[in-house]
Amino acid sequence: MKQARALRNNNPLNIRRGKSKWQGTRTDAKDKNFEEFISLAFGWRAAFILLCKTYYARYHLRTMREIITKWAPLEENNTAAYIDRVAELSGLRPDTPLPEPHADPVTWLLIGAAMAVVESGETDNGTFSMLKGWMMAGI
């Protein structure tokens, strides 16, 4: 069975190619539409820069609904279903104001993990359950 594009490209949130020069991109990239990273860690780095530094800090998008509406616009996605699935997986409400990323990184990790499940079509590989367990433990 063919691996999901997001996983093949080490790009868990399927970041589209653009003008940004990301650290850790593959020099031999073949995908014309999506970034390819040398490791999953670099893909996550880019994803969290976009979510936290660009969408939250620069664009002032303060809820999961606002962020996903920009991330997965209706022209390309079933945005409502995307929001519902991320809310279901993360246990977070779509319209609740999100905390500052540095103040509550677990919330942002949950959102990222849930978005990766939606983007890749893959079921939880254990990482998402680990993050959710951490949050549920209230540590």
Side-chain angles (χ1 to χ4, degrees):
M1 191 165 146
K2 193 172 183 182
Q3 191 177 38
R5 176 187 240 168
L7 300 176
R8 277 194 321 270
N9 290 348
N10 289 318
N11 182 357
L13 299 193
N14 277 329
I15 298 167
R16 288 202 174 272
R17 284 184 160 227
K19 295 178 184 178
S20 296
K21 301 294 180 200
W22 295 106
Q23 285 184 15
T25 55
R26 288 185 184 152
T27 55
D28 62 342
K30 293 174 182 61
D31 194 317
K32 302 217 182 306
N33 296 311
F34 294 91
E35 294 287 356
E36 292 182 56
F37 295 95
I38 59 173
S39 73
L40 203 49
F42 279 108
W44 277 116
R45 177 188 180 277
F48 285 121
I49 286 172
L50 283 170
L51 291 174
C52 299
K53 292 185 175 184
T54 304
Y55 284 30
Y56 185 85
R58 184 182 305 158
Y59 297 153
H60 304 285
L61 303 178
R62 296 294 190 247
T63 68
M64 180 195 317
R65 184 180 310 281
E66 291 172 342
I67 288 170
I68 293 173
T69 298
K70 181 156 181 64
W71 188 275
L74 193 55
E75 304 82 49
E76 299 177 14
N77 300 274
N78 181 338
T79 307
Y82 194 126
I83 292 165
D84 289 346
R85 184 70 172 136
V86 171
E88 174 191 349
L89 289 167
S90 68
L92 301 168
R93 294 181 183 194
D95 297 308
T96 299
L98 295 169
E100 292 278 342
H102 68 276
D104 185 0
V106 173
T107 293
W108 290 90
L109 293 169
L110 281 167
I111 291 169
M115 288 175 70
V117 169
V118 174
E119 289 289 340
S120 71
E122 297 287 323
T123 57
D124 181 15
N125 65 7
T127 304
F128 181 76
S129 293
M130 178 267 303
L131 293 169
K132 195 167 183 180
W134 175 269
M135 187 175 116
M136 291 166 35
I139 297 171

